[in-house]
Amino acid sequence: MLWLLSPSAVAQSAESEAPLTTIPVASSEPPAEAPLQRDRDAPVLLEEVIVTARKREERLQDVPVSVAAFSAEQLDARGIVSVRDLGTSVPGLQFTDLAGYNLIYLRGVGTDAFVPSADPSVATYLDGVYFPSGHSVVQSFGALERIEVLKGPQGTLFGRNSTGGAISIVTKTPDQQQENSLQASYGRFNDSKTRLYTTIPLTDELSTSVSVFYNRADNYYRIDNGRDTQLPTEIGKGARLRAAFTPTDDFSLVLTGMLMQQSGTSSTTSVNTQPSAILGASIPAETREYVVTADSEPSLRTTTAAYYGNATWQLPLLDIKLLGSHYYVNADDYVYDFDGSSQGIATYGADSEYQTIDTGELQFSSNAGTPGASWLKWVGGVYYLRSEGGYDPGYLTLTNIGLPVIGNLVDRLPAPLQNLLGGVPSLESLRFNFTGLIGAESWSGYTQATASVTDWFDITLGGRYQTEKRTLIRSDVGLNNLGGGLSTVVSFAPRSARVDNFSPKVSLDFRPADDLLLYASFQQGFKSATYNIINIYTPPDYIEPEKVESLEAGIKSDWFDRRLRINGAVFQNNIRNLQTGFVSFTTGGAINFENAGRARIRGAEVDITTAPLREWNPGLVLTAGGSWLKAIYTDYQNGSGYDEQTGLAFTNGDFTGNRIVRTPKFSGSAGISQTLDVGDGELELAGNYYYNSGYFYLAQNSPVSFEGHYDLISARLSYLYRPWQLKLTLFGDNLGDTRYNLAQFHTDFGREDTLAPPITYGLRLNWDF
């Protein structure tokens, strides 16, 4: 009976039946198919987005992969201005923060460690290039084509460290059309954001574009530590230059360079809300308000530079693409009050925490002229990555050595280290300098093919083979001495390990009716082995590679002449050697990194968009989405945690059966948008509601580590004056002034909280000219 609801049962659509393609080919071979286009007759939120989730252009609704995709217009319509904002619009996507790192969980899979050797489990791609640093995920958008969020392991096509999924950001490629846009906003806390984009055609073959941004805001926290100090202003600035060279119809070269810098505090602004019983005994408990009493003034500055390019040849029988990149990120002026109080006890930081990554990829894909193109589409290639990074150095400083809390801390260190300290009581402070550098070299080859067995049934087979060598380049610890210098007291021998892996994929997809896709898939993902690089008095631990195996069944559908879109999926992820982090000075280092044995995640998600009154009120659009997850550790023994009575760390916990960290049982959102024609313009009123059921920050699931449920309300009122393409938007976020954490940080001294921003509001201008 599904055909009764299918729009094609009433009127066949030539556009919906057009065969799919990759990149058009101009040659004497069979004619290339027209580039795919979005359905501009639909409301913005129901427009068809063209995605490259399978490394070729396809309509979102035709891809048998769970993907949330947003065009630039849809991002604007939803009020999404940064990657972090996706968390309230994409079911199952969870953003948290820790010491300046952006920790992303997708369907319960993520990484909660904030060290350069702990790669994110959700891979981030910018214009097809892999950017693995957790520091650089949240950035101001330039002029975008779209953002795609691919859910579930993407090991075949997106490779290493995509066990949770991938976020792909695609920016505009400069062309021969002059284009200029300006976005400027001003809001609470003197939050000003300015972004300018322009395209500059130089010749018939060469065009460039420039995108620059500058953001400045006062900190929504204030500091009260008995001194006349101020928290640093939050500043983000950067520029991106792109050049597109198209000398012939079948060859193009696009080169990009960008430089960004973020400075301020990020989540290094935190307060100790629940001090531990022993090491935190002298620390007064703070409140969940926007006041920090840190003795060490928090700060963080991150500089990112990247240069990348891609060359594409459209040949008669296949397409060839070559991609290359150089990427560098460095966090310096990094200061974190480790005890989270006004007392001078412990400070963690880094003079230089960096990563440098070089990548190269050679890709081959079928096109309209490839033999068998009518029933077979394929892609394959080879990929190379070389990286190096770490702390050079990082540090942990203990001050006021005479305080009882420091005496307790030193007394709990292993006897060999206590002997090394020797004259500690005569020092005013004790500084551990830890240098930890790690390198990686990775090669992989991949292929994936989709065969149309019938006009309603496709089968996809793929696989990726990867070999990677991880090297612990350097790991040593220095200690300050009575002469004021630093002496190396512990030096660990370099180590290396090689791991090989094969990640397969099988997908079956069925089209029983037009605008209805059913699919079932099996796929695996692989996350690289690594080393724990912050070690003060224990050898660096080897961290086993993380492997995810996923089963998924899903539906993509449009109903009632595309008035209603329902996409959904059910899935199960089985994880082996889940990589997880733990923070404690008394168990070997300031930050520990370990494997959590096995875990299982069962879930379901749905995403609904509808224009219920398209004839009578075409400007009314409703959205809703939800994610249900049952995420547990199925075998997690010898885990690290804190004693709930004393606050002292242990390493022999059994967390089997506990909930996976940073993963709510339910999260979901609902939105409404009403657009009306007013004179020469368009008036839009929109609102969004988001609910999160809460989650644990520690694998031991102690009550002190639980973030309770919270909800968020946002609203926008905008007017677009069409003759000038000028849009003004009045916006408000967290209108209920909900108190919830952007970050929660557990140490030997207790629990430290960093609240997310309170109610914010402002005015934003968008002008295309």
Side-chain angles (χ1 to χ4, degrees):
M1 299 296 290
L2 293 173
W3 64 272
L4 291 174
L5 300 178
S6 171
S8 62
V10 180
Q12 294 291 331
S13 168
E15 178 182 341
S16 66
E17 292 184 349
L20 299 181
T21 179
T22 56
I23 300 172
V25 178
S27 71
S28 59
E29 297 297 318
E33 299 160 22
L36 298 177
Q37 302 292 329
R38 285 188 253 157
D39 180 7
R40 292 295 186 178
D41 293 331
V44 168
L45 292 173
L46 272 169
E47 279 184 7
E48 191 78 83
V49 180
I50 306 305
V51 300
T52 52
R54 295 195 290 182
K55 300 289 188 180
R56 62 177 183 265
E57 288 190 347
E58 299 175 283
R59 295 181 179 89
L60 173 64
Q61 292 299 96
D62 292 334
V63 181
V65 178
S66 185
V67 184
F70 307 93
S71 66
E73 294 87 348
Q74 290 172 341
L75 291 169
D76 185 64
R78 290 175 178 262
I80 298 174
V81 296
S82 73
V83 177
R84 182 181 297 281
D85 295 335
L86 292 171
T88 58
S89 295
V90 178
L93 181 62
Q94 179 75 24
F95 275 91
T96 57
D97 206 319
L98 191 55
Y101 273 77
N102 305 286
L103 306 181
I104 309 174
Y105 276 68
L106 187 53
R107 289 183 170 179
V109 181
T111 299
D112 59 347
F114 57 105
V115 289
S117 60
D119 294 324
S121 298
V122 179
T124 300
Y125 284 78
L126 180 60
D127 296 322
V129 175
Y130 176 45
F131 284 76
S133 173
H135 276 304
S136 64
V137 171
V138 177
Q139 57 177 301
S140 291
F141 293 153
L144 291 186
E145 286 290 342
R146 65 185 180 277
I147 292 181
E148 304 172 23
V149 181
L150 288 70
K151 303 179 182 180
Q154 305 294 321
T156 299
L157 292 183
F158 289 86
R160 67 194 300 274
N161 304 338
S162 58
T163 49
I167 297 176
S168 177
I169 302 170
V170 182
T171 66
K172 286 187 176 181
T173 300
D175 55 27
Q176 295 304 309
Q177 298 296 320
Q178 178 69 44
E179 182 180 355
N180 304 288
S181 67
L182 170 68
Q183 183 182 91
S185 66
Y186 184 81
R188 192 183 181 191
F189 305 111
N190 295 316
D191 186 353
S192 63
K193 295 181 173 67
T194 304
R195 187 191 73 208
L196 178 65
Y197 172 82
T198 183
T199 298
I200 308 170
L202 299 178
T203 69
D204 291 341
E205 295 83 22
L206 179 63
S207 185
T208 63
S209 68
V210 179
S211 180
V212 297
F213 74 92
Y214 183 84
N215 303 334
R216 184 190 184 282
D218 295 338
N219 204 300
Y220 58 85
Y221 266 85
R222 65 180 179 88
I223 188 167
D224 182 13
N225 58 7
R227 302 196 302 271
D228 187 20
T229 56
Q230 299 290 328
L231 290 173
T233 301
E234 300 288 329
I235 295 177
K237 54 188 176 181
R240 180 173 63 234
L241 174 65
R242 306 198 80 191
F245 179 55
T246 311
T248 66
D249 291 339
D250 55 12
F251 176 80
S252 66
L253 173 66
V254 182
L255 301 176
T256 305
M258 69 178 190
L259 179 66
M260 298 186 300
Q261 187 177 84
Q262 301 284 146
S263 62
T265 64
S266 183
S267 61
T268 59
T269 304
S270 63
V271 294
N272 197 329
T273 58
Q274 299 193 47
S276 59
I278 294 182
L279 296 185
S282 64
I283 298 174
E286 304 287 350
T287 60
R288 279 173 60 96
E289 291 297 330
Y290 297 97
V291 180
V292 61
T293 62
D295 176 74
S296 302
E297 298 170 21
S299 67
L300 175 64
R301 180 174 61 208
T302 304
T303 302
T304 303
Y307 311 94
Y308 59 92
N310 70 77
T312 303
W313 292 268
Q314 301 171 11
L315 303 178
L317 298 181
L318 80 166
D319 294 339
I320 302 176
K321 180 179 287 188
L322 178 64
L323 301 98
S325 71
H326 173 76
Y327 169 70
Y328 174 78
V329 59
N330 184 37
D332 60 358
D333 189 25
Y334 187 2
V335 181
Y336 195 106
D337 193 305
F338 199 72
D339 57 274
S341 75
S342 60
Q343 299 182 23
I345 300 177
T347 301
Y348 165 80
D351 294 335
S352 176
E353 179 196 328
Y354 77 95
Q355 285 181 280
T356 179
I357 302 105
D358 296 295
T359 69
E361 181 174 3
L362 179 61
Q363 182 185 117
F364 305 91
S365 58
S366 62
N367 60 29
T370 305
S374 62
W375 64 274
L376 182 67
K377 297 178 177 65
W378 53 263
V379 63
V382 291
Y383 181 83
Y384 174 75
L385 177 142
R386 181 179 62 196
S387 68
E388 179 183 302
Y391 293 91
D392 194 20
Y395 63 86
L396 180 68
T397 300
L398 306 178
T399 55
N400 292 321
I401 299 298
L403 285 178
V405 62
I406 298 299
N408 287 331
L409 184 58
V410 174
D411 288 344
R412 296 183 182 280
L413 299 179
L417 188 57
Q418 290 192 46
N419 295 335
L420 283 173
L421 296 180
V424 162
S426 63
L427 295 176
E428 293 183 0
S429 66
L430 178 66
R431 171 166 167 151
F432 296 90
N433 262 33
F434 44 84
T435 299
L437 302 177
I438 192 169
E441 186 173 34
S442 176
W443 285 93
S444 59
Y446 63 90
T447 186
Q448 182 170 297
T450 299
S452 297
V453 181
T454 71
D455 58 0
W456 55 268
F457 172 54
D458 289 355
I459 182 170
T460 298
L461 298 175
R464 188 186 197 103
Y465 177 79
Q466 173 178 318
T467 180
E468 179 165 320
K469 182 180 180 180
R470 280 279 197 175
T471 302
L472 181 67
I473 300 171
R474 180 182 173 187
S475 180
D476 55 46
V477 179
L479 191 66
N480 64 316
N481 51 50
L482 290 174
L486 283 167
S487 301
T488 299
V489 295
V490 181
S491 185
F492 302 104
R495 301 164 59 186
S496 65
R498 181 175 293 278
V499 176
D500 299 327
N501 175 74
F502 178 73
S503 297
K505 176 185 175 69
V506 180
S507 176
L508 308 175
D509 50 288
F510 308 86
R511 294 174 175 82
D514 290 336
D515 295 324
L516 176 62
L517 169 65
L518 305 175
Y519 67 90
S521 65
F522 166 83
Q523 55 190 336
Q524 290 184 344
F526 173 80
K527 185 175 179 183
S528 306
T530 187
Y531 291 94
N532 185 22
I533 60 173
I534 300 184
N535 306 274
I536 296 179
Y537 50 85
T538 60
D541 294 322
Y542 174 70
I543 311 301
E544 297 283 349
E546 176 181 298
K547 297 182 180 180
V548 178
E549 185 176 280
S550 177
L551 293 169
E552 179 176 338
I555 179 174
K556 291 188 174 183
S557 61
D558 285 314
W559 307 88
F560 308 112
D561 197 19
R562 298 189 180 180
R563 293 174 177 84
L564 172 65
R565 176 169 298 161
I566 302 177
N567 294 341
V570 293
F571 52 88
Q572 176 170 304
N573 293 334
N574 294 310
I575 310 172
R576 186 172 61 185
N577 292 325
L578 176 65
Q579 296 178 1
T580 188
F582 180 73
V583 180
S584 172
F585 176 66
T586 59
T587 59
I591 306 170
N592 299 325
F593 198 28
E594 63 188 29
N595 290 112
R598 295 177 180 267
R600 184 187 67 227
I601 303 169
R602 291 173 175 164
E605 61 193 21
V606 65
D607 203 338
I608 302 172
T609 306
T610 180
L613 306 173
R614 195 162 176 179
E615 286 82 7
W616 302 282
N617 185 2
L620 176 63
V621 179
L622 307 177
T623 61
S627 170
W628 294 262
L629 297 172
K630 186 176 182 181
I632 62 172
Y633 301 105
T634 55
D635 183 11
Y636 189 1
Q637 302 181 48
N638 299 316
S640 300
Y642 294 102
D643 186 280
E644 295 184 27
Q645 301 301 317
T646 66
L648 298 177
F650 59 77
T651 58
N652 59 351
D654 186 353
F655 303 146
T656 302
N658 286 2
R659 287 169 55 183
I660 294 176
V661 298
R662 302 173 190 263
T663 304
K665 289 183 177 180
F666 173 78
S667 61
S669 64
I672 182 171
S673 172
Q674 176 66 68
T675 303
L676 301 169
D677 287 331
V678 178
D680 291 331
E682 185 178 271
L683 182 70
E684 180 190 15
L685 176 63
N688 189 75
Y689 173 80
Y690 172 78
Y691 176 81
N692 190 304
S693 65
Y695 46 89
F696 289 97
Y697 279 94
L698 293 179
Q700 69 188 87
N701 287 186
S702 56
V704 71
S705 71
F706 187 67
E707 178 72 31
H709 68 85
Y710 61 91
D711 49 15
L712 303 173
I713 300 172
S714 62
R716 301 178 308 283
L717 175 64
S718 65
Y719 180 73
L720 170 65
Y721 185 60
R722 291 194 187 97
W724 294 354
Q725 284 299 297
L726 181 68
K727 184 175 183 179
L728 288 175
T729 302
L730 179 66
F731 63 89
D733 295 317
N734 191 12
L735 294 177
D737 207 19
T738 301
R739 297 289 194 272
Y740 69 103
N741 276 331
L742 176 66
Q744 192 183 111
F745 188 43
H746 291 262
T747 73
D748 311 82
F749 299 99
R751 163 181 155 173
E752 300 179 34
D753 289 354
T754 299
L755 290 173
I759 179 173
T760 56
Y761 42 81
L763 185 66
R764 183 165 54 245
L765 176 146
N766 289 78
W767 185 24
D768 296 328
F769 58 97

